[in-house]
Amino acid sequence: MKQSFIASDEEIEDMVSDGSSESDGNSESDEEEDDLFDFTCAICDNGGDLLGCDGPCMRSFHAKIGTGEDSYCDTLGFTEAEVEAMKTFLCKNCEYKQHQCFICGVLEPSDGPTAKVFLCNNATCGYFYHPKCVARKLHPNNKIEALEKENKIIGGSSFTCPIHWCFHCKGLEDRSQEQLQFAVCRRCPKSYHRKCLPREIPFEDSNEDIVTRAWDLSKRILIYCLDHEIDSDIETPVRNHIKFPGIPKIVKPADYLKRKNKVLINKRKRDFDESFLEQSSNKAAKVPVKVRVQEDEHARKFAVKSSSEQFVDKPEKKKPKVKDTSASSSRPANEQEKYLATSPSSTMGNLPQSSFPRVDSETEKRVIALVEKEGSSLTLKDISSRCLVPSTHVYAGRQTDKIVATGKLERSVQAVGAALKALGNGGNVNEAKAVCEPQVLKQLTKWHTRLRVYISPFIYGSRYSSFGRHFTKVDKLVEIVDKLHWYVEPGDTIVDFCCGANDFSRLMKEKLDEVDKKCHFKNYDLIQPQNSFCFERRDWMTVQPDELPGGRQLIMGLNPPFGVKAALANKFIDKALSFKPKLVILIVPKETKRLDQKKTPYDLVWEDSNCLAGKSFYLPGSLDVNDKIVQGWNASAPPLYLWSRSDWTKKH
């Protein structure tokens, strides 16, 4: 069978072997993803500018101070600068691997041999449970079955929590039918179909005399079920439902009453002078909120992931905020001196003579003084600009996470495996759907389409070695060499800026030697190939003009990584054109910007749309179930182009 990872004849026709083109309906896709996963703040149950945890809990939070003002949310207490600098974010529960049981609320270890709470196996669920608690909920009327289920969970068996079945009719959710969409409680594992929702759980504005318990979010309803008392003053349950590990400070009752009076009597927006992280994990802050999720698509915007390293550093203290003008100079001088001068003599003594010289006490003092002076003007942006990832990793970090959360991706893939296992063990279709509902499969397909390059390591595991790129098969490279060698002159330098397996230059040299043309070669990549002919392991974007001959002797190509909408291919090509080569040969998708449309246009010598049809590419180091190299079948073959600099066009 054709490998569906590469392309399917029936699917996206614009897809090519190295990458994918993003559909114009991304906003619609994002909305569907919002409906599938939980994008409301775990603290205040409202939408807005949210930050998603990339850990197993998959919760979202108002992270920045002030972002949850409408719902009087305490937030996580980050500044905007801190959030911008973060690449992945783990909440304190996921960082310390301690989570609450969603039934009893007790905070317990959730990983390793000491784990006492376990994660539901549903792809979109981030709730943890004690085996005993969840077993009793799954089998409330049968103690024997509940005990058997408890023992199975303790023994390592996976389970699906009761929130994925209707509490009234015990049916599954069907998002395609409005009446079968779920109303999900925010405080316990209880759900109802729309048609099964009790009348005692009214929607907002349904009746002024009844306390609101339900809010409609497109294809899902958020509710507070009848098990949770609603404070008549604040119209919501108290917000004592989240416990972060390692935060011992307790809010005094007087402080709590003071805050409550401030909101209820003065009716003003609260001052965000305290971080949520400074407050008790078991505080009973009765702060009024109406969960108003706007129809505007930004109401439940999923913000980029952030770094867990930027969260709370020590439980006893609040971590200093990172601002644009860092207050590093405010650190006491003796602390800075201690920080900078940690055993300098012992470390320097082991360095060779060619390394940095020994530092005497006087020099050390001058360095500390310089750090104090310059540190006051150093910003987080300055630091981030010096920590850029290689160009071929353009999809890493926050840029990728805007499109797909890797944590959600991994959970979804695991859920598919669990559902297949359940079916293989004789389970019924409903049991499989409870683990992996059909919408999860659809979402995986969209992620697969939009981030084909990025998710390759997840699909092929640790054997995958090409950063998601497909390499051109040798027999196709031989055809390309036969076409190109006529244009090469003795003394030319042929540059492969993303050489992969490094076969192209080797084949080119063999061909040119046959026709007595002596040339030079230079090959770049971040991957170390087995064939090291004229190879330099280096990021192409860092190569400087003075490192290569002039453009009159340069021929460049061949197969850059594509990326979404060929963005990465365009980046590689623009870098190549900065050297002004006389010839550029390219394997790129049709959506790549043509060289005759560049600021300094090149002329098309020829274009071959058939050369790379069929199985022209492969995944290096990747084996299928039969231990054969995974080959690439093209739904739409990328053309092979030869472009000439305008002053060389007549000759070529």
Side-chain angles (χ1 to χ4, degrees):
M1 294 178 61
K2 301 173 186 176
Q3 294 295 322
S4 60
F5 168 74
I6 310 303
S8 169
D9 291 334
E10 295 80 13
E11 291 180 352
I12 304 103
E13 294 184 354
D14 294 334
M15 202 65 69
V16 288
S17 63
D18 278 64
S20 65
S21 60
E22 226 173 356
S23 66
D24 295 331
N26 284 343
S27 59
E28 181 180 349
S29 177
D30 291 340
E31 290 177 3
E32 292 179 5
E33 182 179 343
D34 286 357
D35 290 329
L36 185 60
F37 293 95
D38 178 15
F39 289 116
T40 51
C41 178
I43 300 170
C44 70
D45 302 323
N46 206 352
D49 185 3
L50 300 176
L51 179 73
C53 177
D54 205 28
C57 79
M58 297 190 293
R59 294 177 297 183
S60 298
F61 300 89
H62 286 117
K64 294 179 286 187
I65 297 174
T67 52
E69 285 184 334
D70 291 343
S71 55
Y72 303 99
C73 184
D74 287 304
T75 78
L76 296 182
F78 290 120
T79 64
E80 187 169 354
E82 286 176 308
V83 173
E84 286 298 320
M86 299 170 182
K87 292 185 178 179
T88 56
F89 165 65
L90 292 179
C91 71
K92 278 300 172 186
N93 296 108
C94 293
E95 180 183 351
Y96 287 111
K97 297 179 180 178
Q98 296 180 33
H99 293 85
Q100 293 171 257
C101 174
F102 194 48
I103 294 173
C104 70
V106 176
L107 184 67
E108 300 272 24
S110 57
D111 187 65
T114 61
K116 293 184 179 180
V117 291
F118 302 90
L119 181 63
C120 170
N121 64 3
N122 182 276
T124 62
C125 186
Y127 294 125
F128 289 77
Y129 300 89
H130 287 116
K132 187 173 185 178
C133 292
V134 73
R136 287 182 174 181
K137 286 288 186 180
L138 290 171
H139 303 284
N141 302 319
N142 192 320
K143 293 183 179 180
I144 296 177
E145 289 186 0
L147 182 60
E148 290 178 353
K149 189 66 176 179
E150 178 185 348
N151 292 332
K152 285 182 179 180
I153 296 173
I154 294 173
S157 177
S158 63
F159 65 94
T160 307
C161 74
I163 205 170
H164 306 291
W165 284 278
C166 176
F167 182 77
H168 177 72
C169 71
K170 310 305 179 185
L172 292 173
E173 181 181 25
D174 186 348
R175 295 174 191 266
S176 63
Q177 299 184 44
E178 183 176 0
Q179 291 303 310
L180 295 180
Q181 294 168 359
F182 267 174
V184 184
C185 183
R186 296 289 295 172
R187 294 291 188 270
C188 70
K190 186 177 289 186
S191 299
Y192 295 92
H193 289 126
R194 283 180 184 262
K195 66 176 184 177
C196 300
L197 191 64
R199 294 182 178 180
E200 294 83 359
I201 302 180
F203 284 90
E204 188 176 22
D205 300 327
S206 59
N207 190 321
E208 293 183 359
D209 298 328
I210 302 178
V211 177
T212 300
R213 284 181 173 268
W215 294 263
D216 199 338
L217 307 181
S218 179
K219 295 182 180 180
R220 176 165 291 204
I221 304 170
L222 299 186
I223 66 171
Y224 300 121
C225 77
L226 298 174
D227 292 339
H228 310 288
E229 182 179 354
I230 303 294
D231 190 296
S232 59
D233 292 327
I234 62 176
E235 299 180 352
T236 64
V238 293
R239 297 180 186 175
N240 60 353
H241 58 292
I242 293 181
K243 299 176 184 177
F244 289 130
I247 304 175
K249 181 179 176 182
I250 299 176
V251 177
K252 297 179 181 180
D255 296 335
Y256 158 66
L257 293 174
K258 183 178 180 180
R259 280 207 317 277
K260 178 177 177 180
N261 290 336
K262 180 179 180 180
V263 174
L264 295 181
I265 298 175
N266 297 329
K267 298 295 183 182
R268 294 190 306 215
K269 291 182 179 179
R270 62 164 293 186
D271 297 324
F272 288 84
D273 56 348
E274 293 181 344
S275 166
F276 175 80
L277 300 177
E278 288 187 306
Q279 301 174 14
S280 168
S281 60
N282 61 355
K283 66 181 182 179
K286 296 183 180 180
V287 183
V289 56
K290 291 184 179 180
V291 183
R292 298 182 295 269
V293 180
Q294 306 169 3
E295 293 181 358
D296 184 87
E297 63 179 354
H298 299 293
R300 291 176 287 110
K301 181 179 73 174
F302 175 38
V304 296
K305 310 295 164 288
S306 323
S307 170
S308 61
E309 298 172 346
Q310 301 289 337
F311 208 53
V312 175
D313 194 32
K314 296 181 179 180
E316 298 80 19
K317 296 182 180 180
K318 178 180 176 182
K319 183 177 177 181
K321 300 287 190 295
V322 179
K323 299 181 179 180
D324 289 339
T325 55
S326 174
S328 61
S329 61
S330 63
R331 180 189 297 198
N334 60 341
E335 287 189 24
Q336 289 197 9
E337 188 171 354
K338 180 180 179 181
Y339 174 74
L340 291 169
T342 303
S343 305
S345 58
S346 61
T347 55
M348 289 297 178
N350 297 327
L351 295 176
Q353 292 295 326
S354 60
S355 298
F356 197 78
R358 295 176 182 272
V359 179
D360 56 36
S361 59
E362 188 63 31
T363 303
E364 196 171 293
K365 291 179 181 179
R366 293 202 301 269
V367 170
I368 293 172
L370 179 63
V371 170
E372 290 179 348
K373 178 182 177 182
E374 297 298 327
S376 61
S377 61
L378 186 65
T379 67
L380 193 60
K381 186 176 181 181
D382 296 331
I383 298 171
S384 299
S385 64
R386 289 164 172 77
C387 300
L388 299 177
V389 296
S391 59
T392 49
H393 292 196
V394 72
Y395 300 112
R398 294 180 63 238
Q399 192 168 5
T400 299
D401 293 332
K402 289 180 179 179
I403 305 174
V404 54
T406 55
K408 293 182 176 64
L409 170 64
E410 290 180 274
R411 283 292 303 283
S412 298
V413 172
Q414 291 167 4
V416 172
L420 290 172
K421 184 177 180 180
L423 291 173
N425 292 336
N428 58 47
V429 174
N430 282 340
E431 290 176 352
K433 283 184 177 181
V435 177
C436 182
E437 53 191 297
Q439 285 74 16
V440 172
L441 297 177
K442 293 179 181 179
Q443 186 60 50
L444 276 170
T445 303
K446 292 171 184 175
W447 284 337
H448 186 274
T449 300
R450 295 163 63 188
L451 284 177
R452 181 164 296 184
V453 171
Y454 180 74
I455 67 177
S456 299
F458 293 108
I459 297 176
Y460 295 103
S462 58
R463 295 177 298 175
Y464 196 83
S465 62
S466 65
F467 296 111
R469 294 180 292 131
H470 298 74
F471 293 172
T472 311
K473 294 177 67 175
V474 173
D475 58 335
K476 295 297 181 180
L477 290 175
V478 171
E479 295 181 31
I480 295 171
V481 166
D482 286 338
K483 291 174 177 289
L484 181 62
H485 84 277
W486 300 102
Y487 300 88
V488 181
E489 296 181 332
D492 284 347
T493 297
I494 300 170
V495 178
D496 191 341
F497 46 61
C498 193
C499 66
N502 203 24
D503 292 322
F504 174 64
S505 290
R506 175 182 60 82
L507 295 170
M508 197 74 195
K509 184 180 187 307
E510 292 175 359
K511 186 66 175 180
L512 293 175
D513 286 346
E514 291 178 7
V515 295
D516 200 25
K517 291 183 179 180
K518 303 299 179 183
C519 297
H520 308 284
F521 299 87
K522 198 68 177 177
N523 309 307
Y524 300 98
D525 211 311
L526 293 176
I527 307 165
Q528 181 67 48
Q530 291 183 349
N531 172 27
S532 59
F533 171 68
C534 296
F535 174 78
E536 183 176 353
R537 186 173 182 176
R538 187 171 176 187
D539 182 358
W540 167 238
M541 296 300 163
T542 66
V543 180
Q544 301 302 314
D546 58 358
E547 299 179 53
L548 295 174
R552 296 176 60 86
Q553 294 181 297
L554 281 180
I555 299 174
M556 290 186 167
L558 167 72
N559 184 13
F562 293 177
V564 178
K565 287 190 176 180
L568 201 51
N570 287 323
K571 187 175 181 181
F572 269 67
I573 293 169
D574 289 341
K575 177 66 176 180
L577 295 182
S578 68
F579 294 88
K580 301 179 180 179
K582 63 178 181 180
L583 277 173
V584 179
I585 186 165
L586 294 171
I587 301 171
V588 288
K590 295 177 182 178
E591 59 264 30
T592 307
K593 188 173 182 180
R594 293 173 59 90
L595 271 62
D596 52 9
Q597 299 174 353
K598 298 287 186 179
K599 186 175 181 180
T600 303
Y602 273 56
D603 297 321
L604 183 64
V605 180
W606 46 255
E607 173 184 347
D608 190 337
S609 299
N610 299 317
C611 176
L612 298 169
K615 292 185 177 181
S616 302
F617 303 91
Y618 68 97
L619 293 166
S622 298
L623 304 177
D624 60 19
V625 292
N626 298 317
D627 288 333
K628 295 182 179 180
I629 292 292
V630 178
Q631 299 181 1
W633 185 283
N634 296 298
S636 178
L640 175 68
Y641 300 93
L642 184 66
W643 297 93
S644 172
R645 206 172 74 184
S646 58
D647 54 337
W648 284 79
T649 301
K650 185 176 180 180
K651 177 179 177 60
H652 292 146

